[in-house]
Amino acid sequence: MKWVTFICVFSLLSSVSSVVLPDTHKRELARRYMDLGEEYFRDLVLVTFSQFLRKYPLDDIRKITDKITELARVCAQDKLGAVFCKLLDTPFTAKLCSITSLPVHYDEMADCCEAEAPLRYQCFVKHKDDELNIPPMGTIDPEATCTAFKENEKALLETYIYEVARRHPFFYGPELLYSIQEYKGDLTECCEAAAKAACLGPKMDALQKKILSSAFIEKFKCSMLQNNGESASIEWFVVRLSQKFPFADFGTVSNLATNFTKVHKECCQSDMLECADDRADLAKYMCENRAAISTILADCCNKPALEKFYCLAQMAGDNLVPAQAPQTTDFVENEDVCTYYKEAKVDFLNKFLHTYSRRYPEFSVSLVLRLAKKYQAILEECCETHDNHACYTKVLHELQPLVDEPHEYVKKDCETFKNLGEYGFQDALLVRYTKKVPQLSTPTLVYLSTKLASMGSKCCILPESQRTACAEDYLSVVLNVFCTAHEQTPVSNKVTLCCTESFLDRRPCFSALEDDETYIPKQFNVATFTLHAFVCAHTEPEQQVMKQIALAELLKHKPKATEEQLKTVMEKFSALIRKCCAAADKQACFAEELSESSIIIPMFHIKAQINHRPSSLPRNIQVLRVGATIQN
């Protein structure tokens, strides 16, 4: 039976020209199968094809996955010979090209089949469909889910893998499978509980938020690799790892940073098998060399293979700075700085990053990288002068404004958050960015302000020493999601300018944007605004979104409105909703009140907005539409 199955697979693969990619010795299918084990291997293949073929049903993805897994099993058993299996050691593009309906659903991706073998897989990754807006996963039915879990655990978990993967086409496969283990653990616990819904509800909400957060963080790292190259990623990891493991020397950190970059690059290129295998190897290396890295790795190193890397990557790290660590002044007071810099610029600057990061764990990664960028610019200038030492000894003074700026920015925003609360903070940011970039669609502005405001509840509650790093690193991820969406449908030159800056300068660029004085206000159109009784059926958070949509539209109509005017208008708007939603005949109330513009906002002649569609929204975000179900 195995040979019959294999012949079917071979017939599909042999119809395509050579599919061997570069570095075949590293991509050998059989070795990945043996290293990872069949279950893990198969799940990663399922993730890969679910992300490439997002329009295809699960049954079709399962059939493809089974065929690739069967081929790997046969190769691992050495029934075909090592040479033959090496020729087929990356069959993914061959399988994709053998799908007759591929040109119908993915015409650009189908064109990749004409490319030469070494470029074919890269072409598929480049054209991976990120345009398909699949609705968010809804609330699960606890009873039905638990019944399905007990009857066929494997089928249920595969369905969850498929549904998450197709909604997040750039989610790292190994990371997704770690989330699946959490999903399985939640079901195992809650399906035995008397109150299944009460147990599962909060856990599923938390898991979905965690998945979405991980997807955004991974997208940020992939964007960094794609737009700034491997060197930028290595520098990012040098900073982060130096802060987490300050007792590790520069050589150890540099080696880890290079290998972390390699793993992320593999996952970003959808090479999930190699990514997973190399993650396991990196975790093994860290645990075998933990004496040189950190004494607090033991707990992570005792975990199962799938959990080990995740634990090591997410751990908080050491909080102490080694007494013998070099001082940052060594890069300022030493008279031979220019000599060392000219001899090996990259190595010298990475040592600066290592030293600065372990000395200042309270700084964000982006801040340390901005300091290094400024330091390099100063050295380039000073090292060409006659008295270069006198020139660069002032560098710490010149770096101080870069340190002060994010601290003051976060301090001010956290004070606003403390005074207004999260919803009030959202409104403040909505006003701020609507005035800065009014060309953005209203739902996009609401989405952006909501995500930016989440920094308050995430970071402003931390001790003051941790707030700036938390806020800047979080905002870097949020702005990357926003910039990725804006790149596909650009509407603002100012936004384009900030988004094309290096990732480490984006947040300061957005913060420095001035109000757009050239913006021509939208003309008032009464047909754009209305309110109906079904508004009252929405939850309070959903009604808050409606109010924010009205607020943004109000600013687009009257961008010079003062803070007091906006406050008065929005209070009347909120009072109107409260009054009519409490009335016996809600629709009649809205009709009567809205016919008298003086009751609501005579100054602006505005009522309320519905159905304002965005020109661009980040993927995986449900379009916000008043009058429809709003997904949070």
Side-chain angles (χ1 to χ4, degrees), residues 339-354:
T339 301
Y340 297 142
Y341 174 66
K342 289 180 177 180
E343 286 177 352
K345 290 185 178 182
V346 173
D347 192 54
F348 181 82
L349 290 172
N350 280 343
K351 287 179 179 177
F352 172 84
L353 289 175
H354 174 62

Side-chain angles (χ1 to χ4, degrees), residues 2 9 19 40 65 99 108 162 177 279 291 320 335 359 366 441 476 492 551 590:
K2 287 184 178 180
V9 178
V19 296
Y40 194 13
T65 299
I99 300 173
E108 290 186 352
Y162 165 76
L177 297 184
R279 276 168 62 112
L320 302 175
E335 294 185 359
R359 280 283 169 189
S366 296
S441 73
S476 294
S492 167
L551 176 59
F590 280 120

